[in-house]
Amino acid sequence: MFQLPVSIALLFLLFPTLAVGGPALVERASAPQSTSTAKLHTLAKSKGKLYFGSATDNPELTNTSYVAQLDDSTMFGQTTATNSMKWDATEPNQGQFTFSGADQIANLAQSTGKLLRGHNCVWHNQLPSWVSNSGFTAAQLTAVIQNHCGTLVARYKGRTFNLSEPFNDDGTFRSDVFFNTLGTSFIPIALNAARQADPGAKLYINDFNIEFPGVKSTAMQNLVRTLKQSNTPIDGIGLQSHFIVGITPSTASQVQNMNAFTALGVEVAITELDVRMTLPATPALLAQQKTDYTSTVAACQQVKGCVGITLWDWTDKFSWVPGTFAGQGAACPWDENFVKKPAFDGIAIGFGN
Ligand code: 9MR
């Protein structure tokens, strides 16, 4: 008769669920695990950064496991509202401002001792149709932008706000209602209105595919130069950093790129970090993802003018990636069960831990 070796039989006796859960357990046991006990915000601060944080979105705040992790401000010392500070959420109809969602995030930041980064006061996406389709004249759209940015920035004084994604990937200006109506002047119009509403606000322009040297980064550098020459307020450049496992830019390339911006007299921040992969997540992909997170965090760590890092949510449960890129996901450092992945250790290593 077939006999189980004593040690395995004993294991089944002690843990009867192994009998059905065996294969999954083996898989899980062989998958690389996180072992770091770092508190990332505390670590970032100890390494001279202002913050380590994560974006969060209002619907997620009903999940108690999620909120318990978010509340730990030694882990996340900063937050950004993923959606509720965008134009469609804050001024859905002309002149009618709704701040309930945005206030919820601002209050959460305050009650848990986190820095709050505002999100975008001008962006081509999530724009109500009254902005994009009204056929406003240049003068009308100028007033619309001034009122929107001015009101938003004045409500959350002392925070950072972005103007987002003005460029196409080839470095030309994006064709949207702002550029098509006002040319590049929509940029100083928005930045000046924001500065006037709150002289203490930090004003950023934020984009993707500007995290490494190339035509789009060069276009952004040229824009910074132009803004500086015309005394338009610009304090920083946000490097969104939505990366892909295995093709994340190297530390050296990210450092070179950050230095090119800081040499122009602006700070930089990593504002929307995640590293997506084609599913399923294999041990090899998770190991590469760990390396990719390290590359990016190490780059910020090496550049004094890189002030902080924001994840575009920390758990795969609430990542935007699967909804946008079919078949891709697992982009965050915590999995969908709120368990740290090797990528978490990659972040700690990037800070030098
Ligand atoms: O994460 C955001 C997602 O929930 C929204 O559906 C999406 C809509 O465009 O915007 C996502 O956030 C974006 C951010 O605001 C700007 N940079 C790109 C981000 C990912 O699309």
Side-chain angles (χ1 to χ4, degrees):
M1 194 185 102
F2 173 73
Q3 288 233 302
L4 282 175
V6 176
S7 55
I8 295 184
L10 196 66
L11 214 60
F12 281 140
L13 261 180
L14 290 172
F15 303 102
T17 50
L18 282 183
V20 283
L25 189 92
V26 170
E27 245 172 58
R28 236 174 284 140
S30 63
Q33 310 284 315
S34 159
T35 54
S36 168
T37 55
K39 294 292 191 177
L40 297 178
H41 176 65
T42 306
L43 177 59
K45 293 271 287 185
S46 77
K47 302 290 179 175
K49 300 295 148 190
L50 282 180
Y51 60 84
F52 185 90
S54 173
T56 190
D57 205 0
N58 302 67
E60 298 160 10
L61 301 176
T62 56
N63 183 307
T64 48
S65 309
Y66 178 87
V67 170
Q69 288 192 333
L70 178 60
D71 279 355
D72 180 1
S73 290
T74 64
M75 190 65 85
F76 305 116
Q78 173 275 337
T79 193
T80 303
T82 311
N83 284 303
S84 55
M85 288 196 185
K86 291 173 178 173
W87 201 313
D88 59 354
T90 51
E91 195 185 3
N93 299 299
Q94 187 167 9
Q96 288 177 6
F97 286 88
T98 55
F99 286 118
S100 49
D103 282 353
Q104 188 185 7
I105 306 291
N107 292 340
L108 176 155
Q110 189 156 9
S111 66
T112 56
K114 296 185 206 307
L115 296 168
L116 173 73
R117 268 189 85 99
H119 200 23
N120 34 37
C121 93
V122 169
W123 187 34
H124 69 98
N125 211 345
Q126 287 172 279
L127 204 52
S129 60
W130 72 263
V131 183
S132 39
N133 296 334
S134 291
F136 287 130
T137 63
Q140 287 167 335
L141 189 59
T142 299
V144 162
I145 294 171
Q146 287 171 332
N147 191 41
H148 184 75
C149 289
T151 306
L152 186 65
V153 170
R155 188 173 181 89
Y156 305 103
K157 284 212 164 106
R159 288 7 188 275
T160 302
F161 278 89
N162 301 317
L163 178 152
S164 288
E165 302 177 4
F167 290 113
N168 297 310
D169 279 349
D170 66 1
T172 57
F173 279 93
R174 184 187 290 281
S175 160
D176 60 15
V177 66
F178 305 113
F179 180 72
N180 295 345
T181 310
L182 290 163
T184 56
S185 72
F186 80 91
I187 298 171
I189 289 167
L191 294 172
N192 281 316
R195 175 59 38 99
Q196 211 183 332
D198 177 14
K202 279 233 157 166
L203 304 178
Y204 267 59
I205 303 176
N206 152 307
D207 215 326
F208 58 89
N209 288 343
I210 58 159
E211 303 88 352
F212 45 89
V215 283
K216 196 170 183 181
S217 176
T218 300
M220 186 66 91
Q221 289 163 38
N222 290 337
L223 174 59
V224 171
R225 264 186 216 103
T226 309
L227 294 172
K228 289 265 179 201
Q229 276 157 14
S230 60
N231 285 324
T232 303
I234 177 70
D235 301 309
I237 294 299
L239 308 165
Q240 291 189 6
S241 309
H242 293 294
F243 291 137
I244 300 174
V245 163
I247 51 174
T248 293
S250 68
T251 301
S253 131
Q254 293 190 59
V255 166
Q256 183 190 340
N257 188 63
M258 288 177 191
N259 283 336
F261 282 111
T262 58
L264 301 174
V266 287
E267 60 184 45
V268 295
I270 293 174
T271 54
E272 303 183 12
L273 178 61
D274 52 24
V275 188
R276 63 185 183 265
M277 63 179 72
T278 299
L279 299 172
T282 62
L285 286 168
L286 291 169
Q288 181 61 46
Q289 185 183 48
K290 173 181 176 181
T291 302
D292 292 337
Y293 269 95
T294 301
S295 302
T296 302
V297 175
C300 185
Q301 185 53 41
Q302 282 177 34
V303 176
K304 193 164 179 289
C306 180
V307 298
I309 299 176
T310 307
L311 300 172
W312 208 238
D313 234 314
W314 73 89
T315 159
D316 291 334
K317 186 171 182 67
F318 295 127
S319 171
W320 67 290
V321 169
T324 302
F325 300 99
Q328 295 184 49
C332 300
W334 276 254
D335 72 13
E336 65 280 4
N337 297 314
F338 305 105
V339 177
K340 291 173 192 164
K341 293 153 62 175
F344 177 90
D345 296 24
I347 295 171
I349 292 167
F351 279 124
N353 242 39

